[in-house]
Amino acid sequence: MLPVATSCSVLPSFRRVVSSTRAWSISRTASHGRRTLATVAEDTFRIPLINFSKYLNASSLAEKEQTAQDIVRGFTDVGFIYLNNHGIPQETVEQAFQKSGEFFKLPIEKKLELAWRDPRANRGFVQVGRERVTQSADPEEIKRLREKAPDYKESMEIGRDWDKTYKNYWPQETDAPGFRRTMLDFFQTCHELHVQVMRSIALGLKLDEAFFDDKINEQYHNLRLLSYPPIKRQLLSGEGQARAGAHSDYGTLTLLFQDSVGGLEVQNPRTGQFQPATPIPGTIVINAGDLLARWSNDVLRSTLHRVVAPPLKAISDTEGVTPARQSIAFFCNPNQGAEIKCLPTCLVPGGKPKYPPVTTEDYIVGRLQATYM
């Protein structure tokens, strides 16, 4: 049974699911002779596919709770889900990808005019090699990792546009027509989906459906456009090299929109092995972040993941090159000053929270400062 099963009062139904999975695994092991439980655990590791229309269009609270339980179970067992029928039109996603692609094709001089400068702002263009995502919080260790194995990607970071303290960096309209309007609309669309998914999580954790509403309404989020340029095999062959190193995300949820190239891998919490999160057309990959894990006393998993190179295309007998890859990540966060402490339904009587309270800003800025500096 998963170790989190004893840490939250909402988990009796999860215990039954995990127990049935274990029984299925044992029977599979018996029927396959020498196959081990660890091997079968890998076979049964699946990111669940959730039909979110069953929640959005439910005619009763009981119907909503059924989908809510599936979502919470996915975050409990794996930390990731695929969401389909989520209400965001495909044309909206395609338009965001188109404008993102146009931005990254701008001359590097134009993009560097919008360079990322401050972890508290967390806005602007990040050139290839500037970021090195990792679980380490040691600035010196991260510096060594960046020098040895930088992340081969570039990104554009966009926050709430009405913030009076930190402003977004926008390209000139003549350089990137429609970029700003498209991204602001997409930011709002993603926030609205985030609210709905957090409502479903609240129900799944036996909280009031609106529990999180006033804790996420400031839209203290980050829209990250990502471009992974083509790269030769030899540049990815070094120790620890990846397009984006293994890491967890910082906030409540991440909504990830993938292209068809692939490369995202998720760590199996039971075996430690990384397994592909293969793109499924029309779906959004959603994972729980660190602050949601802290809020839930680790009932909901903030799972390690990374981006590796997809299959290479041969350009000679000895060399290959990866295809370009695009993705868009919407990092959902609680309000800037929200205090993140153990939820009442995620602590057994007499139990103690695993983590001390922390504010959203202090946690996220600390992680960003270590990652970029």
Side-chain angles (χ1 to χ4, degrees):
M1 189 175 295
L2 298 179
V4 297
T6 60
S7 60
C8 181
S9 59
V10 303
L11 286 178
S13 61
F14 300 158
R15 290 193 182 100
R16 290 195 294 273
V17 171
V18 174
S19 297
S20 65
T21 301
R22 173 181 283 182
W24 183 88
S25 299
I26 292 171
S27 66
R28 281 284 300 268
T29 305
S31 66
H32 286 77
R34 297 185 179 181
R35 297 187 69 193
T36 66
L37 278 175
T39 301
V40 177
E42 290 184 28
D43 290 350
T44 59
F45 178 77
R46 297 288 185 273
I47 299 174
L49 176 62
I50 308 292
N51 179 359
F52 201 50
S53 67
K54 292 183 178 180
Y55 179 87
L56 295 174
N57 302 324
S59 58
S60 67
L61 184 62
E63 283 186 35
K64 283 189 170 184
E65 287 175 340
Q66 289 179 359
T67 303
Q69 289 170 8
D70 289 341
I71 289 171
V72 167
R73 187 177 299 122
F75 290 137
T76 299
D77 290 351
V78 181
F80 276 73
I81 63 173
Y82 290 103
L83 207 68
N84 70 354
N85 298 319
H86 40 70
I88 300 180
Q90 186 61 26
E91 314 88 76
T92 300
V93 177
E94 291 173 357
Q95 175 74 357
F97 269 91
Q98 178 184 333
K99 294 302 177 183
S100 176
E102 291 172 3
F103 170 80
F104 287 114
K105 289 177 182 176
L106 290 175
I108 186 64
E109 296 80 11
K110 292 282 187 181
K111 292 184 286 188
L112 288 176
E113 291 174 0
L114 313 172
W116 186 101
R117 297 176 177 89
D118 182 352
R120 290 192 179 275
N122 193 28
R123 286 160 166 78
F125 171 69
V126 181
Q127 63 183 314
V128 172
R130 174 73 191 277
E131 183 184 23
R132 198 351 172 142
V133 289
T134 173
Q135 287 306 95
S136 175
D138 180 351
E140 289 303 316
E141 181 182 356
I142 295 173
K143 180 181 178 181
R144 290 192 296 271
L145 285 170
R146 187 185 295 111
E147 291 171 351
K148 180 180 179 180
D151 289 349
Y152 280 100
K153 67 179 187 298
E154 54 182 351
S155 66
M156 181 62 176
E157 315 290 333
I158 300 167
R160 53 189 183 184
D161 206 45
W162 63 87
D163 195 304
K164 294 181 180 179
T165 305
Y166 303 112
K167 301 297 183 183
N168 284 317
Y169 303 145
W170 296 110
Q172 295 295 320
E173 183 68 15
T174 52
D175 292 331
F179 177 81
R180 178 175 182 168
R181 183 74 267 153
T182 297
M183 295 311 160
L184 289 179
D185 290 346
F186 197 64
F187 188 103
Q188 188 64 36
T189 296
C190 290
H191 168 71
E192 291 167 2
L193 178 59
H194 170 231
V195 171
Q196 293 296 334
V197 177
M198 290 299 289
R199 287 176 179 173
S200 72
I201 290 171
L203 280 182
L205 293 178
K206 306 302 180 186
L207 298 165
D208 183 87
E209 186 178 12
F211 178 87
F212 293 111
D213 282 11
D214 64 354
K215 301 168 183 63
I216 59 175
N217 62 340
E218 293 176 1
Q219 301 191 29
Y220 187 62
H221 311 313
N222 174 237
L223 175 62
R224 172 178 289 185
L225 313 179
L226 287 149
S227 173
Y228 299 83
I231 185 171
K232 291 183 179 179
R233 180 203 315 268
Q234 62 183 1
L235 295 176
L236 286 173
S237 60
E239 181 183 354
Q241 200 71 67
R243 282 187 154 185
H247 63 285
S248 61
D249 293 337
Y250 308 153
T252 51
L253 300 171
T254 300
L255 314 183
L256 180 67
F257 302 83
Q258 301 191 81
D259 66 8
S260 61
V261 173
L264 175 66
E265 292 188 341
V266 176
Q267 188 179 57
N268 184 329
R270 298 164 185 78
T271 67
Q273 300 296 313
F274 281 89
Q275 298 177 228
T278 304
I280 300 176
T283 67
I284 306 170
V285 177
I286 303 183
N287 62 282
D290 295 348
L291 288 179
L292 188 56
R294 291 174 73 111
W295 235 336
S296 70
N297 217 33
D298 280 344
V299 169
L300 309 181
R301 296 176 180 270
S302 181
T303 300
L304 289 179
H305 50 285
R306 66 186 183 187
V307 178
V308 298
L312 298 167
K313 178 181 179 181
I315 56 175
S316 72
D317 291 340
T318 59
E319 185 58 277
V321 65
T322 69
R325 177 180 184 261
Q326 270 189 278
S327 66
I328 298 176
F330 188 73
F331 295 104
C332 310
N333 299 315
N335 293 343
Q336 186 172 0
E339 184 182 55
I340 309 303
K341 61 181 181 180
C342 184
L343 295 169
T345 57
C346 292
L347 191 65
V348 295
K352 294 183 178 180
K354 291 184 176 182
Y355 305 101
V358 66
T359 66
T360 301
E361 182 179 32
D362 286 346
Y363 183 80
I364 291 177
V365 170
R367 291 294 302 271
L368 288 170
Q369 198 162 24
T371 298
Y372 283 101
M373 297 304 178

